[in-house]
Structure formats: C-alpha cells, structure tokens
Amino acid sequence: MVSEMKRVTVNGVVRRSVLAALVVGALGSSVVGAASTTSTTDSAYDLGNVVVTASRMAEQKVDVPADTTVITAGDIEKGNYTMVAQALQANNVQMVQNPFGSYPVLNGDTRVLVMVNGRKINWDELVVSGNDNAVDINQIPVANIARIEVVRGAASALYGERAVAGVINIITKTPEQGQSTTVDAQYGTWGKKRASITTQGGNDDFSYLLTYAKERRGDVFYTTKNGDTKRYDNTAINHDDLAGDFTKKIGTDRLDFDFYRNERKDGFNTAMTNNIAGTPYSTTDKIHQIISSSGLTYHFGDKNGNDTNTFIRVSNKHSSENASFAGSPDIHSLDDWTVDGQKQWNLDKHTVVAGFSWDRQSFEHTNGGATFNANQFTKALFVEDKWNFATDWNLNTGLRYEHHNLFGGSVTTHIGLNKKLDANSHVYLNWGQAVNTPTATQLYTNTMYMDGNPDLKQEKSNTWTLGADTKVNDRLSLSGSIFYSQLKDAILGGSFSDNTYDWGGYTFHKYMYINANKERRVGATLQATYKLNDAWRFNGGYTYTREEIDNGDGYSSYVNNTMPHGYNLGVAYSKGKWDAGAQLQYVTGRSLQVFTQKDYLTVDAYVSYWLTDSTKLYVNGYNLTNESYEVMPGTFYVGGYPMAARSFVVGVNHTF
C-alpha cells in the first residue's frame, strides 16, 4: 500500500516525503479517465514502464504501439520542478513559453490535447494569446502529480477533437494513508518568491490530499542578440494555486473527487515591439484570470475491490478573464460540463474498452468592443480493442463517432501493431486520424479589426509512426521513431474579409481566418540513456522536424518551425545525500524571418542536498549560457517573445 512506502530508499539513503508516495501510488488504477491513481499491491512495479493514455487501458510500455514518454513524480521531485512545463522540457518535450502561458509542441505541431486524469482541459476557444490551439499547461501544482504521460501521434479515435499531434495526460496522486505534510519554499532571481504546502491523510475508507501554492515575481530580463540585457517590462506575476483529491470507498467501489483552481493577476505585455531596444508593446495592460476544473468519478470494482477500468464521471471546467489589451477590454467567461464513462471487458485474447461522452461548452467573449455568445455540444461513442493475436504480438484498434452541433458527425479510427521482442524491447507501427474544431473566436468574433468566418471547416489529419525501444543491456537503452502527418483544411490567419475599417486616415480590410489547403510534417527522434554506474547516468538525443504548408500553389517550408533540428545532452548524479544534474539543448535551422537567431544553446542544472531524511536544500539554474533566443515565432515582431535570461532559484523542502 502507499502508506507502506512512505519511506523509500534512494541510493542507500532513506527519505521520507509526500512525493515519495509516487512509487506505488502512481498507477494502481488502470483507468486513464479516472479521477486519480490508486495503490497497487506490487511495490516493485516499474511505474515508468506502464502507459494508460495510449489505449485507455493499462499496458506495459513494451506492449504499446505508440511513441510514449512517462515522467514520474520521482523525476519531478529530483529535478525540483515547480511547473509542468519544466518537467516536460527536461524530458525532451518541446515547450513554447511566454509571459502569458506555456504550451507543448509534439511532432512540430501545437494541436495537442492536454488532459488531467483523462479530462480534457483544452477549450474550443482561444485561451492562450498568440496560439489558437494551445492551452496553458501550468494549471496544476506539481506536488499533486503522480505521473505525466506523453503520447505522440493522432489520437482523436480515443479522445476526440484536438488530439492531432498527440496527447499529454497529467495523472494526479491518490492520497496516502496516515498523515503527512510537506512545505516547500523558494527564492530566486527577479524577486521570485514561491511557497507551497501539501497535506494528506486518512485511512483505507476515506483519504484526502490538498495543496496550496503562492508565487510572486517581478519583471524578467532577457538577452538581446547583441548580448545586451533588457527588462521585459510588465511581465510580473502573481499566482495562487489550489488543488485537491478526496477518495471514499463504497463497498467494493470507489468515489473520487478531484479539483484544481489557478488564479493569476499578471502583467500583460504580450510582446516586445523592438527586441534590441527593449521596447514593450504595453507597460500598463493587466490580466486577471481564474481557471478551475473538477471531476466526480464513480469507479466500479470487482468482488475483491479491484479496479475494473469501468467508471462514470461528471466534470466541469471554467475559465474567466478580465484583461486590458492594447487599450481595449478582453473579457471572457467560458464554461464546460461533461458526462462520460467507459467499461472494460477481458475476453480471452481481446481486451475491449467502450464508452461515451457528452460535452457542452458555452462562451461569452468581449474583445475589441464587440461581444459574442455561443454554445457548442459534442456527443461521442467510442470502442477500443487490444487483440493479442499471437505470442508477443498485439493489434490495437479504435473507432470513435463524434457529433458536433455545428459540424455534424465525424468518424475517426486508429490502428497500431506491436511486436514485443523481449521484456524490455519492442517495435511498432501505428496510424491514426484526428479532428480539430475551429475556435469560437475564429467562427463568431466581430471586432473592429477582425471578422469571424462561420464557413470554416474542421481540420482533419492522419499520422503514421514507426518506432522501436530497446534495452541493450543493464547500462544502455535506445529508442527512436519516425513520423509522417498530413492535415487538410488547415485553419490559417492572414486572409481579409470584405468589411473594412478606418485607421489613421487609411482604409483596411478586416482580418479573417480561412481554411488553407494542406499542411504536412515529417520527423524523427533518437534517444539514448547510458548508466555508467549506480551514481552516474547520461542521456542524449536528436529531434528532426520538417514542416511544409500548401496554400494552393504547392508546398513550401513553414517558417514558424520552432525546432528543425534539436539536440539534447544530459547528465545526472545521485549518491548518498546528493542529487545533481544538467541538461543541454541545442537548436538550429530556424528561419530569421520570425526568429532573431538561427540557433541557440541553453543549459539548465540542479543540485540537491538532503540534510535529513525529510529535509532537502536545492538550487536550480536556468539558461546558464545567458542565451538570446525565442521559442515562439514573432509573426508581427521578430524577437517579440524573448526567453528569460540566466536565473537561479534556491529552495528548501521539508516533510513532517
């Protein structure tokens, strides 16, 4: 049980920590849609080798026909990460980070479905300025996270719209029994102050876990391509996060309620209009945003109380924003109610999961002096089958019918073939389809400068992936994959409507989104991990992505490609009371049309020292090379979204 693992041994040192509960709490439940994970009776189970998101059922990674990455709470604790984006980036997941949000890029595409315990947190509306597909991933305190699963490739057959480039599922911890509390305090560059407290307890019948975190920080600085240091004005942050989980046994069944609430009162300078001079777009615009999500899930157990991967759930998410942008109010109130459920059958060589989803999203958005209200309804049925048709061979297939009140019905499918070579090696081939729905802003907005386009179509794609993972020996592990994706009816900005507006004595046509012809992407990843001895471990990898777009006159390179070539090299040391590591990333081949530099090299590092079994001191350093770079293209202002300069954080973590 989780309580029995309260004290875990790491390299001979016994450490007591709330975070240590990950070792068995991370994936006792096989339910990707569950409210949280439950304990497993096998304390030796390697939770980093289990994936649930790729098929809605628990599978060993060597049985999964997909490109997957699993980040455990142990990885998060060792790296001293305070944001989901930091944990993802340290594990070779490309992130776009700017003052108003962080969002992932998979297979060179930002059309990524993000979930918490299997609940979609994306909106059919713009909630991250600068990207119509993105949602800020830093919404939940990392102290509550048991694991993060990343699955690359189209997955609409499993989870519906938005899952074009892949899925990231953040799975929260189940409260451990007994009573424990962890406090964490940080102080860093630019006046950063962050404090959090996590408490959990209970018994086998009822348990709880609660985390509250508060963070304050002044304006960041950045480095120009000339090597000068400039203030990124109006980027100060004021964040408060609250998250929790409550679990109640009901006979052999279980009832879970989990929630989180993220509030920010930040500066809202979205860009630098002149990177070299340090000229801000705004020094006065502010944003007040509250994002919340909750789910009530009833899990059905068998006669022995074991989870059967069968559940029914009611969930809600809400986003409210009151911002001043370019002297004009930007106010929205978004609300979503979802009812979904699934059931699993174990049928000889087949494991089948089938279920349903009903979703209602409502939008009220004021932008540029114009207001629109809209409602969207989605209903879906799905079925997933894992067929072990021969020794060490399995075929995963899935089918989903989804009906949208504006776009009618659509059917998406996927097929994955997997060959298990040995206990630690496999090769796989998969193909999947995906659908992406236009946002409410793209469809309905009617501002002074922009018209909505109600004739927009859904984007539709298909993706092929071929890959392999192998553990060569006890020291060396290798993995690699190649992919090809094609998307039709891509939604792009830059067209103009028939309506006009006057500005400065000149007449301009309003901006409007259109469906372009096609986009296609091809890429490859290679990754290696080498364990020198019990103390030292090294990893390295390479990522290649080519993106092209066809606006009706043939394919041409996509200048917004943020990582044509990416190289990473890492080292980790853990012995006695010391944990340390560093991660180097080198990116090259980018276009100077939208970036100030073709390439950049960054190094992040951490050092931790355990004073006692329950007290840790740590130091983290970011962008130690003090590099000048951007990870978001500057469509209007080249270099308009610079990354922060060199910075440091010192902290202490104590459990009692």
Side-chain angles (χ1 to χ4, degrees), residues 167-407:
V167 176
I168 294 179
N169 191 17
I170 302 168
I171 301 172
T172 61
K173 295 176 182 176
T174 289
E176 62 174 302
Q177 298 177 32
Q179 177 64 47
S180 62
T181 299
T182 294
V183 292
D184 188 272
Q186 291 185 352
Y187 181 79
T189 310
W190 308 310
K192 177 175 179 175
K193 297 183 287 290
R194 186 181 187 278
S196 69
I197 181 169
T198 299
T199 185
Q200 61 182 321
N203 51 41
D204 188 55
D205 182 62
F206 174 80
S207 56
Y208 64 90
L209 184 153
L210 289 168
T211 293
Y212 174 69
K214 179 185 289 288
E215 182 174 351
R216 306 291 184 265
R217 193 208 65 213
D219 294 340
V220 303
F221 285 72
Y222 69 95
T223 304
T224 72
K225 68 177 182 180
N226 295 337
D228 300 322
T229 300
K230 299 290 184 180
R231 181 190 295 271
Y232 201 150
D233 287 299
N234 197 25
T235 56
I237 63 172
N238 182 336
H239 292 177
D240 290 89
D241 299 313
L242 178 65
D245 186 285
F246 300 90
T247 299
K248 170 67 176 175
K249 285 280 191 71
I250 303 177
T252 58
D253 302 334
R254 189 179 83 252
L255 183 67
D256 280 321
F257 175 73
D258 73 299
F259 73 93
Y260 66 84
R261 182 183 187 274
N262 172 269
E263 181 174 10
R264 53 186 295 215
K265 301 175 182 178
D266 298 347
F268 201 46
N269 176 22
T270 56
M272 304 300 293
T273 60
N274 188 315
N275 180 286
I276 302 300
T279 307
Y281 185 84
S282 169
T283 59
T284 59
D285 289 337
K286 305 295 180 183
I287 182 172
H288 182 195
Q289 185 181 71
I290 299 175
I291 298 175
S292 62
S293 176
S294 61
L296 182 66
T297 310
Y298 191 91
H299 304 265
F300 295 88
D302 62 18
K303 62 182 180 180
N304 297 315
N306 298 314
D307 202 311
T308 61
N309 199 14
T310 299
F311 69 88
I312 187 168
R313 172 176 56 202
V314 178
S315 57
N316 173 260
K317 66 177 186 279
H318 185 81
S319 176
S320 63
E321 175 186 301
N322 190 332
S324 173
F325 180 65
S328 178
D330 186 84
I331 303 169
H332 74 231
S333 178
L334 316 177
D335 196 65
D336 178 280
W337 282 97
T338 301
V339 180
D340 66 327
Q342 69 177 43
K343 179 173 174 56
Q344 178 170 314
W345 294 268
N346 300 312
L347 308 171
D348 192 19
K349 294 184 178 182
H350 291 267
T351 303
V352 179
V353 174
F356 72 95
S357 175
W358 177 91
D359 177 85
R360 176 188 182 274
Q361 293 193 27
S362 61
F363 314 104
E364 182 175 339
H365 198 162
T366 298
N367 176 261
T371 298
F372 68 80
N373 297 277
N375 294 293
Q376 296 185 8
F377 300 88
T378 305
K379 297 173 286 186
L381 296 172
F382 64 86
V383 61
E384 176 78 10
D385 175 50
K386 177 184 176 182
W387 176 27
N388 296 308
F389 63 90
T391 302
D392 295 326
W393 285 89
N394 64 272
L395 184 71
N396 285 29
T397 57
L399 175 71
R400 186 183 188 95
Y401 173 77
E402 190 162 84
H403 185 274
H404 194 286
N405 66 306
L406 298 179
F407 299 98

Side-chain angles (χ1 to χ4, degrees), residues 69 71 85 87-96 104-106 150 152 168 563 585:
T69 299
I71 304 167
L88 289 169
Q89 189 168 24
N91 284 272
N92 203 30
V93 176
Q94 186 183 354
M95 295 297 304
V96 173
V105 180
L106 299 179
V150 182
R152 295 169 178 83
I168 294 179
M563 189 183 290
Q585 184 180 60

Side-chain angles (χ1 to χ4, degrees), residues 8 10 13-20 77-78 80 574-580 607-618 653-655:
V8 296
V10 181
V13 178
V14 179
R15 297 173 181 170
R16 181 182 184 275
S17 169
V18 171
L19 295 175
E77 180 186 19
K78 189 167 289 187
N80 305 317
S574 185
K575 186 175 183 179
K577 295 186 177 183
W578 290 94
D579 292 320
V607 177
S608 302
Y609 178 76
W610 290 83
L611 287 174
T612 68
D613 295 346
S614 57
T615 304
K616 177 178 70 171
L617 302 178
Y618 59 91
N653 181 285
H654 177 71
T655 298

